[in-house]
């Protein structure tokens, strides 16, 4: 999500918190799912049928009882199977504060929607999140990757997280990869997927399509 304002592109970290604080994020939710699933439907129609859409959900959205109905409505509208939708929940938020958010997450999973833990390792309840949420994927916080080669202990921690995820049957993804040596180390360590500027910066759909066509036979996952 990027805001194309008269003063330039505004990143989500600058305006999403305002939407959350004012409660306007709940008015934004239908647009978010409508637009992203519409883009996914277009990508599928072009032959990129293996692609799925991953959408961040904030604690405020999880507290809204209407979010489940919105998700179901938009999946039906765009004729997208739930298996092609993933909802990311940031690990910096303490889900134990309210059982309603956790129940919303479980309801999403019961619909066949995948749930992943975003920014894993950045909060204080990593293992509790894994236990309570039963996610299908761990997305390791970029801070671990940015400091990967600063101290030997950093690599030990990363390897431990990767091994933990795999021992629990989870997919492990590393965020914030910007350098080839980071990607190479993570690949050798058994990390399943990588995300970051090394592969691509955020792109609108019109610019993403040529990239996908160019790399359709590549291994830049």
């Amino acid at each position: 999500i990027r805001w194309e304002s008269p003063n330039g592109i505004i990143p989500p970290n600058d305006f999403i918190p305002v939407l959350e604080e004012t409660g306007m994020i709940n008015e934004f939710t239908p647009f978010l799912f409508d637009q992203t699933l519409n883009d996914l439907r277009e990508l599928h129609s072009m032959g990129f049928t293996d692609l799925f859409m991953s959408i961040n959900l904030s604690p405020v959205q999880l507290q809204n009882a209407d979010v489940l109905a919105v998700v179901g409505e938009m999946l039906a509208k765009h004729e997208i199977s739930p298996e092609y939708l993933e909802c990311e929940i940031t690990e910096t938020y303490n889900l134990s504060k309210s059982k309603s958010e956790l129940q919303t997450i479980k309801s999403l999973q019961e619909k066949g929607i995948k749930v992943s833990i975003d920014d894993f390792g950045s909060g204080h309840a990593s293992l509790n999140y894994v236990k309570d949420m039963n996610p299908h994927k761990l997305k390791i916080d970029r801070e671990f990757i940015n400091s990967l080669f600063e101290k030997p202990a950093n690599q030990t921690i990363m390897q431990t997280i990767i091994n933990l995820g795999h021992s629990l049957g989870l997919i492990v993804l590393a965020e914030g990869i910007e350098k080839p040596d980071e990607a190479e180390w993570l690949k050798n360590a058994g990390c399943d997927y990588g995300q970051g500027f090394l592969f691509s910066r955020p792109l609108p759909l019109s610019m993403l399509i040529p990239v996908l066509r160019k790399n359709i036979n590549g291994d830049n996952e």
Side-chain angles (χ1 to χ4, degrees):
I1 295 296
R2 299 295 184 273
W3 179 4
E4 297 183 7
S5 79
N7 298 319
I9 303 296
I10 301 178
N13 289 344
D14 289 349
F15 69 89
I16 292 295
V18 178
L19 295 179
E20 292 176 334
E21 291 168 9
T22 60
M24 291 180 65
I25 190 73
N26 291 322
E27 299 177 36
F28 181 69
T29 302
F31 165 80
L32 173 67
F33 279 90
D34 192 17
Q35 183 64 54
T36 51
L37 292 177
N38 180 70
D39 287 353
L40 181 60
R41 178 78 273 160
E42 186 169 346
L43 289 168
H44 282 183
S45 70
M46 293 179 178
F48 303 109
T49 54
D50 291 336
L51 293 183
F52 64 91
M53 184 64 70
S54 190
I55 300 177
N56 292 89
L57 282 182
S58 78
V60 180
Q61 290 167 300
L62 290 173
Q63 293 166 8
N64 185 359
D66 295 334
V67 68
L68 291 172
V70 169
V71 174
E73 177 185 343
M74 293 305 168
L75 285 170
K77 175 182 177 180
H78 298 287
E79 299 180 329
I80 299 289
S81 173
E83 66 184 289
Y84 292 104
L85 177 61
E86 175 181 289
C87 291
E88 299 182 13
I89 315 297
T90 181
E91 191 245 315
T92 54
Y93 178 71
N94 186 3
L95 281 179
S96 63
K97 291 180 180 179
S98 174
K99 293 183 179 180
S100 63
E101 291 100 342
L102 191 58
Q103 182 56 52
T104 299
I105 291 171
K106 292 184 182 299
S107 296
L108 289 170
Q109 292 171 317
E110 289 170 358
K111 290 179 178 291
I113 297 166
K114 297 180 176 66
V115 172
S116 65
I117 298 178
D118 196 18
D119 301 332
F120 183 78
S122 60
H124 305 286
S126 299
L127 296 181
N128 281 336
Y129 254 58
V130 174
K131 174 176 65 70
D132 293 338
M133 282 178 52
N134 190 28
H136 93 291
K137 179 188 294 177
L138 300 182
K139 299 187 67 176
I140 305 173
D141 186 71
R142 66 181 65 248
E143 291 302 320
F144 288 97
I145 286 76
N146 292 342
S147 60
L148 186 60
F149 299 113
E150 291 182 4
K151 299 178 181 178
N154 292 338
Q155 298 179 24
T156 302
I157 292 172
M158 279 295 301
Q159 187 68 70
T160 301
I161 294 175
I162 293 170
N163 293 344
L164 170 66
H166 288 165
S167 68
L168 295 172
L170 308 180
I171 295 170
V172 181
L173 179 149
E175 300 178 299
I177 302 174
E178 298 185 5
K179 302 174 182 177
D181 58 349
E182 295 169 346
E184 185 65 22
W185 188 93
L186 289 162
K187 185 176 181 180
N188 292 334
C191 191
D192 301 301
Y193 292 95
Q195 173 182 320
F197 290 170
L198 176 65
F199 310 112
S200 176
R201 290 181 177 272
L203 299 172
L205 182 63
S206 60
M207 297 177 66
L208 172 63
I209 293 170
V211 174
L212 292 174
R213 286 174 173 162
K214 179 180 178 181
N215 293 285
I216 191 68
N217 294 318
D219 59 354
N220 294 330
E221 298 184 2

